[in-house]
Structures are given as C-alpha cells and as structure tokens.
C-alpha cells in the first residue's frame, strides 16, 4: 500500500469470528478489505461502518458461489483470511447447502489470491468438527492435527450435524491440494466452540450454544448435547484468542494445520461450573451420564509450541467475559425460550 500499511482481506465480514478479526487487524494498523454478501444492508453491516472509525476498512460485495467475486477485495493484500462459510447446522440438504458451496467458495477465493500475486499467506478457518467427529473406542483420546473426522462414517451413518463436519474436512483437504498445486502458502486454524462477546448485530449459533445452559434455550442446548456426543467433549476457546491465533499464524507460523482450543470440558463439568459460579441462573446440572472421562480432548500444543500465547486460559475468564457482555446487551433474556 502507498502509505506502507499492510493489507489484509477478511471474507464474511458480517460473521461472528470475522468481525472480531477485522477489529483486531485494524487496531494492529492493517488496512482491511472486508467482504459481505450484501453491502446495501445497512443493519447487517452497521458494525463494520462503526469500525471504519478505527482505521482503514473498505467493504466489498463478494459471494463464495461466484468465481471471480473476490478478485477486487484480495487485490494488493498480503494476507487473506478465508472465514466465510455456510454454517447452517440444521441444513436438510448438507451436500448442496453446506459441502458443495463451502468447497467451491474456498477454491474461488484461492483462485482470486493466485490472480492477485500479492498474497503471502492464506489463513483458512476450519473447525474442530474436522478433527474429532469419528468413531473412537474407549475414552481419553488426545487428538491433534494428525486427526481427521471420518468422512466415510459421517456420510454413511449421518449423525446429527454430519454435513458440517464433512464440509470442514473436505474444504481443508481441497484447499491444501490447491495450495500445493499453485504454490501458495496456506495455514488452517481449527477452533473448537468459540465463546465470547459478539460485535455483529444478529444472534449467532456459537453464542447461543455457549449460553444454552444459562438460558435454557432447548434448540441451542440440543446442539451442545450433539457436540458432546459426536465429538466426545465440549471444547471451548475465547473469540479474541481465535482471532489472535489467525493473525499469529498469518504473520509468524509455518504453513500447516493448527488446532485452537483452550479448555476441554464436558456437559457435566460445564453445568456444575456454571451453576456454582453464577448461582443467579437456574442451571440444570443433571448430566451425570457425562461424568466419566471424555471420549476425546483436543490438543493445541502445536500452536503453543509455535509461540502463540492464549490470553483466556481459564474457563472462569472465558465465561466471566461472555456473561458480562450478555448482561450488558440483554442477550440472555432474548435467548430464553418458554420450553424450559
Ligand atoms: N463460531 C464457532 O464456534 C466456530 C467454531 C469452529 C469453527 N468455526 C468456523 O468459523 C467460520 C466462521 O464462523 P462464524 O461462527 O463466524 O459464523 P457466522 O457468524 O455465521 O459467519 C459466517 C459468515 O459466512 C458468510 N457466508 C456464508 N455463505 C456465504 C456465501 N455463499 N458467500 C459469502 N459469504 C458467505 C456469512 O455471510 P452472511 O452474513 O451474508 O450470511 C457470514 O458472514 C466458519 O468457517 C466456521 O466453520 C466457527
């Protein structure tokens, strides 16, 4: 850039993770090109308009399903953060709604990066769903970056949310192949359930799930239960750490896959922790069937060994922060459903 600022593109600027990432990049002095599907929706992009006060932030229209759509937004950028993805866990047609557009979309963004010639590193946001959704005998498995969710099992057995896990695995693998074939540097961040304040004006799934034991919202609680059952643990990380990890792997880590996880817990321990620390909420602690050792946990040692330091290492820090945000915004009350 003319004024010497580093430029980064963040796709899916209306998203939960992308919006915090954009803020952190602006605070670090980056010029940021954010993409959204509908820049004319003034409510949806209100957080981005506000963030323009923090630094050099431009908003571009781009859709994952359109080849060439990202050309303008990635042009001149050193780093491209591929955060946008279809994330509808309720999808009734995952092959068409989650898997196909996610793969095509990632490759479309990467093709734009090849054309741009300025891109030094692409950082892809994947998910722990691409690591731990597989059949495991016994308990206590510690999973690292060598572990992949089992696409064959998922497509055959179709456990709840199977399409999301398949889409995350296949996006990672196709993106890796494309990066190798086109000599692009790619790093993948695979976060566990992301917890923490949200900058976007709409409700999101991860906030709903992380607060489900406090709100009693049965829809979100159902997804938390599915997570425990299909992945073998409830593993969490603060949203600020996820975004700091994205910037860290862009700037400072070798290419490759990085699990991003601070705490491995389970429904029983999480419910008991929340009930004890926040007695003002009626937290149901009746989850003794999850009391035994977790089927699996996720190791973030590779990221830590590369030099990354988590800011939110303890579950108290993570939940104190999100609950303060929830109280301030009234979001806990708005998520409460009459079902409990
Ligand atoms: N949140 C978590 O707990 C968590 C955990 C692990 C991994 N992840 C991963 O993190 C990434 C972001 O998730 P998030 O939680 O931030 O979700 P989110 O808030 O729903 O954001 C997803 C973004 O993707 C955009 N998008 C979807 N389809 C698109 C398309 N066809 N073209 C362009 N943009 C499209 C959405 O745009 P619109 O606003 O226009 O709909 C939205 O901005 C995903 O890859 C997800 O798998 C999230």
């Amino acid at each position: 850039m003319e004024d010497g600022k580093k430029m980064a593109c963040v796709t899916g600027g209306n998203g939960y993770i992308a919006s915090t990432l954009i803020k952190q990049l602006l605070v670090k002095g980056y010029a940021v090109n954010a993409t959204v599907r509908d820049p004319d929706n003034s409510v949806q992009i209100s957080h981005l308009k506000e963030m323009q006060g923090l630094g050099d932030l431009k908003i571009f229209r781009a859709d994952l399903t359109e080849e060439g759509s990202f050309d303008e937004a990635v042009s001149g950028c050193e780093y491209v953060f591929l955060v946008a993805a279809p994330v509808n866990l309720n999808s009734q047609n995952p092959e068409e709604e989650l898997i196909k557009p996610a793969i095509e979309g990632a490759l479309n963004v990467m093709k734009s990066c090849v054309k741009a010639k300025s891109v030094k590193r692409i950082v892809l946001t994947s998910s722990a769903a691409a690591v731990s959704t597989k059949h495991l005998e016994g308990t206590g498995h510690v999973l690292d970056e060598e572990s992949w969710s089992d696409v064959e099992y998922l497509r055959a057995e179709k456990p709840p949310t199977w399409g999301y896990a398949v889409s995350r695995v296949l996006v990672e693998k196709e993106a890796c192949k494309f990066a190798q074939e086109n000599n692009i540097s790619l790093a993948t961040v695979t976060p566990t359930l992301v917890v923490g304040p949200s900058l976007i004006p709409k409700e999101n799934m991860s906030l709903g799930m992380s607060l489900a034991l406090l709100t009693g919202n049965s829809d979100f609680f159902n997804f938390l239960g599915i997570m425990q059952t299909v992945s073998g643990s409830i593993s969490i990380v603060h949203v600020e750490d996820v975004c700091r990890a994205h910037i860290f792997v862009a700037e400072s880590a070798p290419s490759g896959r990085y699990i991003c996880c601070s705490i491995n817990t389970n429904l029983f321990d999480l419910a008991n922790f929340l009930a004890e620390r926040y007695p003002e909420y009626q937290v149901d602690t009746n989850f003794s069937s999850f009391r035994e050792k977790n089927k699996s946990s996720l190791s973030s040692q590779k990221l830590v060994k590369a030099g990354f330091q988590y800011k939110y290492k303890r579950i108290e820090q993570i939940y104190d922060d999100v609950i303060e945000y929830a109280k301030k915004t009234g979001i806990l009350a708005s998520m409460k459903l009459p079902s409990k």
Side-chain angles (χ1 to χ4, degrees):
M1 243 194 127
E2 276 165 26
D3 60 5
K5 272 188 183 171
K6 283 188 183 178
M7 269 175 78
C9 173
V10 180
T11 67
N14 285 344
Y16 172 51
I17 295 176
S19 52
T20 297
L21 177 58
I22 292 167
K23 185 174 178 187
Q24 289 185 0
L25 286 164
L26 289 171
V27 169
K28 277 197 94 175
Y30 277 86
V32 181
N33 291 347
T35 72
V36 298
R37 277 192 278 192
D38 183 6
D40 297 326
N41 186 328
S42 56
V43 176
Q44 264 192 26
I45 67 158
S46 55
H47 62 294
L48 295 175
K49 288 281 174 200
E50 227 170 88
M51 277 192 242
Q52 283 178 327
L54 290 176
D56 189 350
L57 170 62
K58 294 194 179 71
I59 303 167
F60 293 79
R61 195 203 81 82
D63 194 308
L64 290 173
T65 58
E66 293 168 22
E67 189 169 344
S69 193
F70 291 84
D71 286 0
E72 208 188 334
V74 304
S75 170
C77 290
E78 208 164 304
Y79 303 127
V80 171
F81 296 92
L82 216 172
V83 194
V87 292
N88 177 12
L89 299 181
N90 270 322
S91 172
Q92 297 304 304
N93 186 2
E95 294 288 353
E96 288 302 315
E97 290 172 6
L98 281 177
I99 300 169
K100 203 165 153 228
I103 297 170
E104 280 176 14
L107 297 183
N108 280 340
V109 178
M110 293 178 84
K111 283 177 198 163
S112 296
C113 295
V114 173
K115 279 190 236 165
K117 295 194 169 71
S118 55
V119 180
K120 277 198 195 156
R121 166 66 56 88
I122 298 174
V123 180
L124 168 70
T125 315
S126 183
S127 166
V131 177
S132 56
T133 327
K134 57 185 183 181
H135 183 71
L136 290 166
E137 289 294 340
T139 57
H141 299 273
V142 180
L143 305 179
D144 63 15
E145 287 76 4
E146 298 299 313
S147 171
W148 290 90
S149 295
D150 184 343
V151 170
E152 221 171 283
Y153 151 77
L154 288 165
R155 276 192 164 134
E157 300 292 324
K158 297 190 175 10
T161 70
W162 66 272
Y164 177 67
V166 170
S167 83
R168 301 289 76 201
V169 170
L170 297 184
V171 166
E172 273 198 59
K173 292 199 166 170
E174 289 298 320
C176 242
K177 191 165 149 235
F178 184 91
Q180 274 166 4
E181 287 168 359
N182 291 277
N183 205 16
I184 318 179
S185 174
L186 172 75
T188 303
V189 178
T190 66
T192 52
L193 177 65
V194 181
V195 184
S198 168
L199 300 178
I200 55 174
K202 62 177 182 192
E203 194 176 82
N204 69 79
M205 181 67 96
S206 33
L207 204 51
M209 284 168 66
S210 56
L211 296 173
L213 285 160
L214 300 158
T215 61
N217 181 308
S218 56
D219 292 342
F220 288 131
F221 176 74
N222 191 26
F223 282 114
L224 200 62
I226 290 170
M227 176 178 271
Q228 170 76 64
T229 311
V230 299
S231 74
S233 68
I234 304 282
S235 301
I236 62 173
V237 60
H238 193 281
V239 65
E240 272 182 43
D241 279 335
V242 171
C243 297
R244 289 176 55 248
H246 277 70
I247 300 173
F248 173 81
V249 301
E251 294 177 336
S252 316
S255 58
R257 195 179 193 211
Y258 294 90
I259 290 173
C260 190
C261 168
S262 319
I263 310 279
N264 289 287
T265 183
N266 60 47
L267 267 183
F268 179 82
D269 289 342
L270 181 60
N272 280 281
F273 159 74
L274 293 172
E276 197 174 313
R277 189 152 182 102
Y278 314 105
E280 63 274 34
Y281 303 101
Q282 272 94 52
V283 178
D284 188 351
T285 54
N286 191 18
F287 301 110
S288 45
S289 59
F290 295 104
R291 194 173 197 159
E292 305 110 51
K293 209 169 172 195
N294 278 353
K295 201 164 74 177
S296 64
S297 61
L298 288 146
S299 165
S300 191
Q301 275 310 300
K302 184 176 170 190
L303 187 60
V304 172
K305 280 193 182 141
F308 181 73
Q309 290 184 349
Y310 285 92
K311 188 171 150 199
Y312 294 84
K313 292 182 190 156
R314 292 181 302 110
I315 194 164
E316 292 83 353
Q317 291 173 295
I318 296 177
Y319 267 95
D320 283 357
D321 193 44
V322 73
I323 284 172
E324 193 189 315
Y325 156 81
K327 279 183 180 161
K328 233 190 285 171
T329 55
I331 204 162
L332 278 176
S334 73
M335 283 182 188
K336 248 185 215 319
L337 285 186
S339 51
K340 194 180 157 196

